[in-house]
Amino acid sequence: MQPSRLFLAAAAGVAVATVYFAQPLLVTMGTDLGIAPGTVGVFVTVTQLGYAAGLFFLVPLGDLLDRRRLIRLQFMLLATALLLTGLARNAAMLLVGLAAVGALAVVTQSLVAYGASLSAPAERGRTVGAITSGIVLGILLARTVSGIVTDLVGWRAVYLMACVACLVITVCLNGTYQRPSSRLTYGALLRSTVNLWSERSFRESAIRAFFIFGSFSTLWSSIALPLTSRSLSHTEIGAFGLIGAAGALAAGPAGRLADRGRGQLVLLVASVLLATSWLATAHLLVGLAIGAVLLDLAVQAIHVTNQSMIYRPELGSRLIGGYMVFYSLGSGVGAIASTALYERGGWSAVCLLGAAFGAGSLITSVRGSRRSARASRPCESCR
């Protein structure tokens, strides 16, 4: 019996949530461990660096090993990393724990590749869209859950509860043995991941991923700073993640449009929306809520379309892992830059940074659309 889309989406949501629990808690965690507010973005950055390392070194194993067994092992190790984080008694121990959480949370991408490999080509976009919806909800609801739990029993309980959830998923995951899709050695798999950069379509999608998640992380890594200054509680700050969860609605339709060959249109429209959403986000508090919804809709539409357009079964795990490295890099840069900018230039400077990332996505999408249009024109000499 194969796992359902709903189960895979839920598992992916739990795994990716572990990366984002800290965002509304940055100030509290920093205060608890003696770290200044202007540098608390390091919690997010070290997690994203761990995530990038996991994407490159762990996700390609899905092409070498049985994905189901690999996913179960990753969830067990992720539970261990969450336990370490929840019990951390100093900054160094916390940073090690968060880096390990980031590296092992890449099981999310293993689930995407696993789900895509189980689907027929005509259903692949829908499956990726369903799992991505779970990922989006996990990312955004992570803030709401962590805020509520922290107000009730403290921030450490957030990680300990996640540890238990990962162990439950490990026990419940079923499915038949899946034969590895590659006969390459592990070293050759890593080299082939690097070689993906030579493909134009992959390169464009990867650069676009860097920009969209740089913009995404700029908002969600720094949002706690202006809201904390307005004396909002952890629960109230986390509620903004619940508002932004509407962005998950874009994943399914975007996947279906990509299946129908309308991916370039989705990329253009969503990139325009991403760049302009910061006009609303600049205005606290109502404008921030509206801008967060628009930004998340745009990011998820682009993200799903990117993955659907470049996916190839024979390169499943390597392709997803290589692409998502740029997601982590963008997220890490957005986190550390936004918190540092807020201390120096306030919320307006953060909004300019987020809009600049959005403009980068738009420029990349316009160039890709023009190239695609030129490639589709009939050859004059062939008529």
Side-chain angles (χ1 to χ4, degrees), residues 80-88 93-94 97-98 101 155-156 159:
T80 304
L82 288 164
L83 180 63
L84 174 64
T85 302
L87 299 178
M93 187 175 175
L94 178 66
L98 289 174
V101 166
W155 68 266
R156 297 179 187 279
Y159 291 94

Side-chain angles (χ1 to χ4, degrees), residues 125-126 249 251-262 304:
R126 185 172 300 177
L249 298 175
R256 288 191 288 272
L257 286 171
D259 287 340
R260 296 170 187 168
R262 306 305 296 265
V304 171

Side-chain angles (χ1 to χ4, degrees), residues 12 24 63 65 76 98-99 108 117 140 150 161 183 187 230 249 274 278 280 299 318 321 340 347:
D63 293 332
L65 306 172
M76 289 180 63
L98 289 174
T108 301
S117 68
L140 298 176
T150 297
M161 291 171 62
R183 296 179 180 274
R230 291 186 170 225
L249 298 175
L274 175 62
W278 285 95
V299 167
R318 283 165 284 165
W347 186 245

Side-chain angles (χ1 to χ4, degrees), residues 32-101:
D32 189 23
L33 297 172
I35 298 177
T39 57
V40 291
V42 71
F43 294 154
V44 177
T45 298
V46 74
T47 307
Q48 291 297 339
L49 290 175
Y51 200 83
L55 287 167
F56 185 76
F57 292 106
L58 297 181
V59 172
L61 289 172
D63 293 332
L64 197 62
L65 306 172
D66 170 28
R67 286 196 180 111
R68 182 182 60 84
R69 293 178 180 174
L70 177 63
I71 290 170
R72 293 185 70 179
L73 176 60
Q74 286 177 306
F75 267 113
M76 289 180 63
L77 294 175
L78 177 57
T80 304
L82 288 164
L83 180 63
L84 174 64
T85 302
L87 299 178
R89 295 301 172 188
N90 54 60
M93 187 175 175
L94 178 66
L95 291 175
V96 170
L98 289 174
V101 166

